[in-house]
């Protein structure tokens, strides 16, 4: 993971906002978010899944 901390935090905030707004309710929406994370942060599927779970858990 050779991405900047600022970029990661920005994407985490975006994920939290989408989650709070209810935009991560379907499997399709989650898949799209995982693809976005993979592309923007250059992560594998496993890393992106972990990043998504960790981002959402910050809001709970």
């Amino acid at each position: 993971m050779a991405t900047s901390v600022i970029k990661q935090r920005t994407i985490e905030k975006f994920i939290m906002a989408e989650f709070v707004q209810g935009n991560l309710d379907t499997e399709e929406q989650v898949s799209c978010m995982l693809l976005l994370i993979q592309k923007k942060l250059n992560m594998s599927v496993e890393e992106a899944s972990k990043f998504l779970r960790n981002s959402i858990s910050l809001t709970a």
Side-chain angles (χ1 to χ4, degrees), residues 18-37:
E18 292 297 305
F19 179 72
V20 169
Q21 293 173 9
N23 293 332
L24 290 176
D25 289 341
T26 66
E27 187 176 336
E28 182 182 355
Q29 291 169 329
V30 172
S31 294
C32 288
M33 186 61 74
L34 286 172
L35 285 173
L36 177 95
I37 295 167

Side-chain angles (χ1 to χ4, degrees), residues 3-56:
T3 58
S4 72
V5 173
I6 295 171
K7 191 173 187 178
Q8 287 182 356
R9 297 297 177 251
T10 303
I11 294 174
E12 280 178 350
K13 288 179 183 180
F14 175 72
I15 293 168
M16 286 188 280
E18 292 297 305
F19 179 72
V20 169
Q21 293 173 9
N23 293 332
L24 290 176
D25 289 341
T26 66
E27 187 176 336
E28 182 182 355
Q29 291 169 329
V30 172
S31 294
C32 288
M33 186 61 74
L34 286 172
L35 285 173
L36 177 95
I37 295 167
Q38 289 176 46
K39 289 179 183 178
K40 296 292 182 182
L41 298 178
N42 194 25
M43 293 181 165
S44 68
V45 176
E46 293 81 21
E47 291 172 325
S49 297
K50 185 177 178 182
F51 185 84
L52 180 62
R53 283 191 303 271
N54 287 340
S55 297
I56 292 172

